[in-house]
Amino acid sequence: MSQFFYLIPALSILIGALVLMFMSMYERFNVKNFIVVSSIFLIIALVFSLISINSSYSIQPFPHFLNNVLTFDTYSNFFNILLIAGTLLTLLIGEHYFQHREYFKGEFFSILLFALFGMMILAHSNELVTAYIALEIASFSVYIMVGYNTEDSKRVEAIFKYLVLGSFIGAFYLLGVVLVYGATGSTNLAAISSFIINANEQDMALVYIGLTLILFTFLFKIAAFPFQSWVLDIYRGSPMIITAYMASTFKIAIFSFFLRAILDYIYPIIDFWDEIISVIIIFTLIFGTWLAITQQIVKRMLAASSIVHTGYLLLAFIALSYKDGEILNIDSAYAIMFYLIAYLLSALGAFGLASHIISDTNIKITYDDFKGLAKERPFLAAMMTIFLFSLAGIPSTIGFIGKFYVFTEAINAGYTALTIVAIIATIISVYYYFKLIAVMYFYPAKEEAISIEFNDRRVSTYAIAFVAILTVLGGIGSAIVFFIPVMNIDTIINLTQMAVQSLFIK
C-alpha cells in the first residue's frame, strides 16, 4: 500500500478523464459542470503530490506488473506538481473562454486530462518505449484539442500540420530506439547507461546515431532550430487557451523526461553533442528573435518569443558537463527547473490573459487592437505588464531570477560567448514585449474595442491575478515575503535540489 500511495496522483487523473468521458454522453451537463469536475480531480491529484513534496525517495513500484519501466521519485513528483498546477490554472484561466465557445463539449475536458496523464507518465518514464507511448498519448490529445473546432479552417489546417509533422518526427524517435536497442539489447535507460559506461568506443556508433535521432524529437517538441517552423502557424491556428497550454505545460513535460535521461543515464556521453547544441542555441535565439520582432499579431509574437526561451533553456542544458564519473556544474540542472517554473507562470499568464480578453470578442488580436487597454481595463493591462516584464527578464519578476540563474551557470561552465548572445537576445526582447506595453498605456483606445459591460469579476480573472502575484513574489523572493515560505526563492531552489538528488538514490 505504501507503493500504491505514489501512484494516486496519476491514477486520479486517469480516473477523472474516464469519468468526464462518460459524463460527456449526457446532454444535461454543461461546460461549467465539466470544469468543476475536472478541477476536483486535479485538486485531488495535486494534494497527494504536495504531501510528498519534502520527501526524498525513489522507488519502482510493483516490478512484476510494471517491469521497472516507471520510476516514482521526488524528481517526477516535482514535475507532477508543475504539470497538474499548470493544467488546473489553464482550466481556471480559460473558464470564461470555454463558456463563450459553443464548440467546447464535455469530451474536450476528458481529452485535457488524458493529455495530462500522458505527460505525467512521461515524467515517470525510465524506458524508451514507455516514454514514447506516454509522449504519444499526450501529443495526440494535444492534436485533438488544437483542431477541436472543425468548423474553423485555421484549426483544421493547424491540426493537419501538427499531426503530420509530429508523426514524422515520431518515426525518427522509433528509429533511434531501434538503433539503440540493436547496440545495447535493451530499451531500459538503466541498461543503456550500463552499456555506455562499459562499452568500447567502436561499439558506441549505433548508440550515438540512435540517441541523435531521439534528440531530433526533443528539439522538435520544444521548437528549437531547425524544427521551429511549425510553431507560428500551429500556435496561431489553435484555440488561444490551448496555445497557452502547449507553450507552458506541455513543454515542461518534454523537458522532464529528457532531463532525467541526461542526469541519470546518458551523462557520460552528453559532451558528444556540445558543438551541435551550441550552433542550435545560436540559431534558435536568432530566428526566434527575428520572428518575434516581425510579428504584428500578438499571439504570433508570443509564439515566436517562446522559441527564444527554448534557446535559454538549451543554454542551461549545454552547461551540464561530465568528467571523472560525475556531472560537473549540477547547479545548471537546478537552473533549468527553476526557469521552467518561471516560464510556466509567465507564458501561461500572458497567453491566458490574451484568451481572457478575447473571450467576449475576437478583435483583440494585433498590437493596434490592444491600444488603450490600460484605460479601458486597467487591471488586465497591469497583469499583462507583469507577465511581459517577466518574459523580458525585468528585475522583481520570477523571469529575471530564472534568466539570472541560467546565464550565471552558463558562464560558470565556460560558455561566455553563448551567454552574450543570449543576453543580446534578452535586450532585444525588451523591444517587442515593451511595444505591447506601450500601446496599452500610451495610445488612445480604438472605439470598436471598448467593451463597457465587460465584467472582471470572474473565475478567470482571479486565476490570472493569482498567477500574476506568483510571478512577482517569485521575483522578489524573501526580501519582502519572508513570511510566505512557498514563494521564498531559496525554498524553490531547495525543492529543485531535492528533486535532482533523488535521481541518484539507488
Side-chain angles (χ1 to χ4, degrees):
M1 289 303 296
S2 60
Q3 294 183 356
F4 180 77
F5 173 82
Y6 297 109
L7 276 67
I8 292 178
L11 291 177
S12 299
I13 298 302
L14 179 59
I15 293 171
L18 294 173
V19 169
L20 289 165
M21 182 175 66
F22 287 114
M23 283 179 60
S24 65
M25 298 169 56
Y26 301 97
E27 295 291 337
R28 65 175 179 269
F29 296 112
N30 56 34
V31 170
K32 187 174 182 179
N33 298 139
F34 287 104
I35 293 175
V36 171
V37 173
S38 301
S39 300
I40 290 173
F41 280 101
L42 288 168
I43 291 172
I44 291 172
L46 184 60
V47 168
F48 277 98
S49 296
L50 288 172
I51 291 174
S52 306
I53 192 171
N54 288 317
S55 302
S56 182
Y57 63 94
S58 179
I59 64 169
Q60 294 179 340
F62 308 109
H64 298 294
F65 176 67
L66 296 176
N67 200 28
N68 295 329
V69 299
L70 298 177
T71 299
F72 290 78
D73 51 15
T74 310
Y75 174 88
S76 57
N77 187 63
F78 176 89
F79 279 98
N80 278 349
I81 292 172
L82 294 186
L83 295 171
I84 296 169
T87 305
L88 180 60
L89 288 171
T90 300
L91 200 62
L92 297 178
I93 290 173
E95 179 261 350
H96 188 59
Y97 186 90
F98 291 135
Q99 295 200 51
H100 281 73
R101 299 293 187 276
E102 294 183 356
Y103 55 83
F104 285 114
K105 305 296 182 182
E107 58 267 19
F108 175 87
F109 301 94
S110 175
I111 295 169
L112 179 65
L113 291 197
F114 275 119
L116 174 59
F117 176 73
M119 296 177 200
M120 293 173 68
I121 296 301
L122 185 62
H124 290 290
S125 298
N126 66 327
E127 194 268 338
L128 293 176
V129 176
T130 304
Y132 177 77
I133 294 172
L135 179 61
E136 291 305 299
I137 290 174
S139 296
F140 273 89
S141 298
V142 173
Y143 298 157
I144 295 170
M145 290 190 291
V146 166
Y148 193 76
N149 180 17
T150 56
E151 296 180 1
D152 190 327
S153 60
K154 295 196 300 296
R155 308 282 192 260
V156 175
E157 179 186 0
I159 187 178
F160 182 76
K161 287 183 178 179
Y162 201 14
L163 178 60
V164 171
L165 293 174
S167 301
F168 181 73
I169 204 67
F172 276 83
Y173 182 97
L174 290 177
L175 180 58
V177 172
V178 170
L179 294 177
V180 171
Y181 179 78
T184 65
S186 176
T187 56
N188 190 286
L189 289 174
I192 294 170
S193 177
S194 178
F195 177 87
I196 291 172
I197 293 173
N198 299 306
N200 298 321
E201 190 64 29
Q202 58 266 28
D203 298 328
M204 289 294 295
L206 284 180
V207 175
Y208 283 128
I209 297 172
L211 291 178
T212 300
L213 292 175
I214 294 174
L215 177 65
F216 289 166
T217 303
F218 172 61
L219 296 175
F220 174 84
K221 293 295 184 180
I222 65 174
F225 178 88
F227 306 101
Q228 82 292 339
S229 59
W230 62 272
V231 171
L232 294 188
D233 291 337
I234 292 171
Y235 277 26
R236 174 72 177 91
S238 306
M240 192 67 172
I241 196 65
I242 301 307
T243 304
Y245 192 62
M246 293 169 61
S248 56
T249 310
F250 190 32
K251 186 172 288 189
I252 286 177
I254 305 301
F255 275 100
S256 68
F257 171 71
F258 284 93
L259 184 58
R260 175 193 290 277
I262 290 173
L263 291 177
D264 201 16
Y265 298 108
I266 66 171
Y267 57 87
I269 59 173
I270 57 175
D271 293 340
F272 176 79
W273 293 277
D274 278 359
E275 289 77 11
I276 299 174
I277 298 298
S278 296
V279 174
I280 289 173
I281 290 172
I282 293 172
F283 281 100
T284 298
L285 292 171
I286 292 174
F287 271 75
T289 299
W290 178 75
L291 288 172
I293 290 174
T294 57
Q295 301 305 314
Q296 293 302 315
I297 298 175
V298 172
K299 191 177 182 181
R300 289 174 67 93
M301 181 274 287
L302 292 174
S305 72
S306 70
I307 299 173
V308 182
H309 289 277
T310 294
Y312 300 146
L313 285 163
L314 288 177
L315 180 61
F317 260 96
I318 201 175
L320 294 167
S321 56
Y322 172 81
K323 185 178 181 181
D324 298 331
E326 64 180 10
I327 296 177
L328 300 177
N329 197 27
I330 192 67
D331 289 344
S332 185
Y334 311 146
I336 293 170
M337 297 171 73
F338 188 96
Y339 197 91
L340 288 173
I341 297 175
Y343 184 69
L344 171 67
L345 294 174
S346 307
L348 186 57
F351 279 106
L353 182 52
S355 71
H356 180 62
I357 291 173
I358 68 171
S359 57
D360 286 329
T361 174
N362 290 318
I363 60 173
K364 295 223 179 264
I365 298 296
T366 67
Y367 280 99
D368 287 341
D369 293 319
F370 275 83
K371 287 181 177 179
L373 182 66
K375 182 178 180 180
E376 178 190 348
R377 299 170 189 169
F379 182 60
L380 297 183
M383 289 189 292
M384 179 61 89
T385 301
I386 290 173
F387 298 133
L388 294 174
F389 272 17
S390 184
L391 289 170
I394 302 302
S396 299
T397 63
I398 194 170
F400 169 77
I401 303 297
K403 284 186 175 62
F404 177 81
Y405 279 132
V406 168
F407 295 164
T408 300
E409 297 308 326
I411 292 173
N412 289 340
Y415 293 98
T416 305
L418 283 178
T419 305
I420 292 173
V421 175
I423 291 173
I424 293 172
T426 301
I427 295 172
I428 297 174
S429 73
V430 173
Y431 165 74
Y432 51 81
Y433 288 133
F434 277 45
K435 180 180 177 181
L436 183 57
I437 296 174
V439 299
M440 288 192 299
Y441 282 92
F442 304 117
Y443 288 81
K446 295 173 63 176
E447 293 183 3
E448 64 271 23
I450 298 176
S451 177
I452 299 176
E453 298 179 357
F454 190 89
N455 178 17
D456 281 338
R457 294 184 177 181
R458 297 189 176 103
V459 173
S460 301
T461 310
Y462 295 128
I464 294 170
F466 177 71
V467 175
I469 292 171
L470 292 181
T471 302
V472 174
L473 294 184
I476 59 181
S478 58
I480 298 177
V481 289
F482 57 89
F483 53 86
I484 307 179
V486 72
M487 288 314 300
N488 189 309
I489 293 175
D490 293 334
T491 301
I492 298 176
I493 293 296
N494 289 337
L495 291 175
T496 63
Q497 292 174 346
M498 186 181 299
V500 171
Q501 293 304 321
S502 72
L503 293 174
F504 309 118
I505 299 176
K506 304 298 182 183

